[in-house]
Amino acid sequence: MAQFAPDRITGMDYRSLRRNKLSPTADRKPVQLDAAMGADPVEQCSNPQMRQLWLQVRRVAKTDVTVLVGGDTGTGKEVVARRIHRYSNRSSGPFVAVNCASIPADLLESELFGHERGAFSGALERRIGRFERANNGTLFLDEIGDMPLPMQAKLLRALQERSIERVGGRDEIPLNVRVVAATHCNLSNAVAAGTFREDLYYRLNVVPLRVPSLCERVEDLPFMVASLSRALEERDLTPPCLSRSAIASLQEYPWPGNVRELGNLLEQLAVFHGGERIEPGDLPEEFQTGLESTSGSAGPVENLSGEPMLWRLQPPPENVDPVLPPSGLNLVKYLQRSEKCLIEQALAASDGVVSQAARMLNLRRTTLVEKMRKFDIQRDAASSA
């Protein structure tokens, strides 16, 4: 791999990098994978691996040791890094994320350590690098396995000395930075293949954490759907109302794209079926697993676009109360969506007979008709849903 060569970087190259935002920004926050930040994952998760992971995150966050987060692409490694920062004594400091794979090798040193004015062609002013911006906070080095070997040596020195030197500079700048690294590849295999430095591997791998793939934790899929749906609402998108059988169908899917793929699916459904009740047959073909819809059966149906559950054609148990998430919710939208969803279920169960649906909802027929007009619910469409 090419060495860092300042004379090879032209002003056009550097300006192009900044204009096209190839380098990450300190305040970048993944919209999909970070959607559950407002909830307590230890309390929400059912999967033993994930519960253990979040307990480990809480414990390691109280220290300043270096953490290496492993896991497939799209599993939420940056979410883990942000949780570590959030639970740590550095939470009031900056969280700076860098994707090492997205920055050209010749620019990575300047991106991490900064540069002095005149360090190379196009360096018209001093620039603070990511390490300095993360001072008294956390630096997240994503896709560390893709870092070029020459840069690995400079990173190792920065970690050992707890100081950096800007490109073109002479002064050592002491820093107080906690480093969390992440990778989707097996770094021990990369060390054996000679593509990753062994000494850097042991420097980073003080506390290894692994994020399971989504197919390993499908029992947590309802929680993730609810969290991602909240993120859609924050973007003024109306999430769909997934039935229990639709969730069961999604739990049979292998999820090669992990949580990121789940977020993309919900966003697609929000665009084309926002606020609608989704059965397995309404899902894109690749997500249909052949499960028969249970739309005609009684029992609870999880409205996973909001925190509390909606209950299908029967009241919730007396000891089950809606839970307000720590991040809050739009109460008006939530109540409207819940009301519409229950009316559609009652109409579907009564084959579109309004009077029967009204009795199931304990409403007068005229009141139900008014609500149907309000929510633009067609009797025939509801009965065939």
Side-chain angles (χ1 to χ4, degrees):
M1 298 185 181
Q3 296 278 350
F4 178 82
D7 60 326
R8 291 177 55 193
I9 303 178
T10 66
M12 180 64 71
D13 292 332
Y14 191 74
R15 288 191 295 271
S16 176
L17 173 70
R18 308 308 302 170
R19 181 172 62 251
N20 291 297
K21 299 181 180 179
L22 295 179
S23 63
T25 57
D27 59 353
R28 178 175 64 89
K29 189 170 184 178
V31 173
Q32 292 179 351
L33 302 185
D34 207 33
M37 284 292 286
D40 185 345
V42 178
E43 300 296 331
Q44 297 283 349
C45 292
S46 301
N47 180 267
Q49 294 182 73
M50 288 303 297
R51 290 180 63 88
Q52 180 65 22
L53 172 65
W54 292 125
L55 290 172
Q56 292 174 336
V57 164
R58 283 184 172 182
R59 178 167 294 184
V60 76
K62 302 305 180 183
T63 70
D64 263 347
V65 299
T66 305
V67 179
L68 180 62
V69 185
D72 294 337
T73 299
T75 52
K77 296 185 289 294
E78 183 170 342
V79 176
V80 171
R82 287 183 179 275
R83 279 285 179 176
I84 293 174
H85 175 73
R86 178 178 177 179
Y87 292 148
S88 74
N89 296 328
R90 299 173 176 269
S91 58
S92 60
F95 178 93
V96 180
V98 182
N99 189 316
C100 300
S102 68
I103 304 173
D106 290 342
L107 295 177
L108 187 54
E109 182 178 4
S110 173
E111 197 66 35
L112 290 179
F113 302 143
H115 62 252
E116 298 288 352
R117 179 180 178 182
F120 48 83
S121 176
L124 303 179
E125 58 184 15
R126 170 185 289 179
R127 181 174 180 276
I128 302 301
R130 302 296 171 178
F131 264 90
E132 286 186 79
R133 292 180 63 179
N135 197 26
N136 297 316
T138 302
L139 178 66
F140 175 58
L141 300 175
D142 198 8
E143 302 300 353
I144 190 72
D146 294 324
M147 179 176 286
L149 275 170
M151 191 62 222
Q152 292 179 27
K154 297 174 183 179
L155 173 62
L156 176 63
R157 184 179 182 280
L159 295 177
Q160 290 176 334
E161 302 297 328
R162 295 184 177 275
S163 64
I164 58 102
E165 183 178 310
R166 299 191 191 107
V167 176
R170 299 179 179 178
D171 298 329
E172 289 284 334
I173 303 172
L175 295 173
N176 177 20
V177 177
R178 200 259 182 85
V179 173
V180 178
T183 180
H184 69 280
C185 60
N186 189 318
L187 287 188
S188 59
N189 290 344
V191 169
T195 59
F196 199 85
R197 292 180 62 103
E198 185 176 22
D199 46 8
L200 178 59
Y201 171 66
Y202 288 118
R203 173 64 65 172
L204 295 173
N205 197 39
V206 178
V207 175
L209 298 177
R210 178 183 174 271
V211 185
S213 300
L214 180 53
C215 63
E216 300 176 59
R217 46 182 168 126
V218 292
E219 61 266 45
D220 285 340
L221 195 140
F223 159 62
M224 287 183 280
V225 169
S227 300
L228 293 168
S229 295
R230 286 196 297 270
L232 292 175
E233 288 183 326
E234 292 174 1
R235 297 166 53 197
D236 294 327
L237 290 173
T238 302
C241 176
L242 272 67
S243 70
R244 185 171 55 182
S245 54
I247 290 293
S249 181
L250 294 179
Q251 288 175 323
E252 295 295 322
Y253 181 70
W255 297 108
N258 290 293
V259 184
R260 185 173 292 120
E261 185 179 11
L262 174 61
N264 291 341
L265 170 65
L266 292 177
E267 188 168 351
Q268 176 185 342
L269 292 174
V271 171
F272 294 107
H273 305 285
E276 299 178 12
R277 188 167 188 272
I278 301 299
E279 294 290 347
D282 301 319
L283 297 169
E285 185 175 353
E286 62 269 28
F287 296 98
Q288 298 179 21
T289 59
L291 296 177
E292 293 184 2
S293 170
T294 59
S295 59
S297 62
V301 172
E302 295 146 339
N303 180 0
L304 296 168
S305 57
E307 289 66 29
M309 292 182 180
L310 296 183
W311 296 81
R312 181 174 180 78
L313 307 183
Q314 64 181 34
E318 293 182 359
N319 62 342
V320 176
D321 294 320
V323 178
L324 178 69
S327 58
L329 53 75
N330 187 318
L331 183 60
V332 173
K333 286 186 177 180
Y334 174 76
L335 293 175
Q336 289 178 346
R337 187 172 63 249
S338 302
E339 189 175 10
K340 179 181 178 183
C341 193
L342 286 172
I343 291 173
E344 289 177 339
Q345 292 176 29
L347 287 168
S350 61
D351 294 326
V353 180
V354 177
S355 58
Q356 184 178 344
R359 284 195 298 272
M360 299 175 75
L361 296 170
N362 199 23
L363 293 175
R364 297 181 61 178
R365 185 182 185 282
T366 54
T367 302
L368 178 57
V369 171
E370 290 174 0
K371 290 182 178 294
M372 291 171 62
R373 291 198 189 102
K374 173 184 175 181
F375 295 117
D376 193 25
I377 298 175
Q378 303 298 322
R379 179 175 58 182
D380 294 339
S383 63
S384 61

